[in-house]
Amino acid sequence: MKIKSRLERILPYAAVFLLGGGLYCCLEVLWRGFTHWSMAPVGGICVLLIYCIEPLPYQILWKMVLCGIGITVVEGVSGFFLNMLFQLNVWDYSELFLNLFGQVCLLFTFIWVLLSYPGMKLCSFLRRHIFS
């Protein structure tokens, strides 16, 4: 009985992680024309972050900013490991304005803020209609 309740609590997060990873890879293929296998777990973590921020009792704009900052942090940490440490060269923002070591940049932080709105709508739908 206890195992089932733990599984029921974990299942929505696992489903959001997997869905987020798949959706992010699709989004990247649409944006860049290709993706890298490592973007599935990174995208899953980012959508899971949105899923956790969405129900917070803040105004939508503040939640969007929080998501954008959180996604930028995930991007920076994963960029350090994937691009700098393991030299997979998955992305490089060196040519863009206000970048940090080519791993994050202000333009993409703004894009993550904007994309977090439909991400929160999706997470709200999942929470209310699928996982309730």
Side-chain angles (χ1 to χ4, degrees), residues 25-66:
C25 286
C26 290
L27 183 66
E28 192 167 51
V29 167
L30 289 172
W31 179 264
R32 297 195 320 165
F34 62 96
T35 190
H36 187 268
W37 67 266
S38 63
M39 294 299 91
V42 171
I45 291 168
C46 291
V47 175
L48 194 55
L49 178 72
I50 294 170
Y51 185 78
C52 293
I53 290 172
E54 184 271 327
L56 295 177
Y58 304 124
Q59 292 180 345
I60 189 72
L61 183 59
W62 291 116
K63 290 192 283 189
M64 290 169 61
V65 169
L66 190 56

Side-chain angles (χ1 to χ4, degrees), residues 17-114:
F17 175 80
L18 293 172
L19 178 66
L23 286 175
Y24 183 76
C25 286
C26 290
L27 183 66
E28 192 167 51
V29 167
L30 289 172
W31 179 264
R32 297 195 320 165
F34 62 96
T35 190
H36 187 268
W37 67 266
S38 63
M39 294 299 91
V42 171
I45 291 168
C46 291
V47 175
L48 194 55
L49 178 72
I50 294 170
Y51 185 78
C52 293
I53 290 172
E54 184 271 327
L56 295 177
Y58 304 124
Q59 292 180 345
I60 189 72
L61 183 59
W62 291 116
K63 290 192 283 189
M64 290 169 61
V65 169
L66 190 56
C67 287
I69 291 168
I71 292 168
T72 300
V73 168
V74 170
E75 184 178 45
V77 170
S78 59
F80 170 78
F81 285 101
L82 297 170
N83 295 328
M84 298 176 83
L85 193 62
F86 300 130
Q87 298 191 355
L88 295 177
N89 300 317
V90 180
W91 69 87
D92 183 4
Y93 296 147
S94 296
E95 302 287 322
L96 297 176
F97 182 64
L98 291 176
N99 77 83
L100 184 61
F101 305 113
Q103 303 311 301
V104 296
C105 75
L106 190 59
L107 171 64
F108 275 85
T109 299
F110 181 69
I111 290 170
W112 305 140
V113 168
L114 294 178

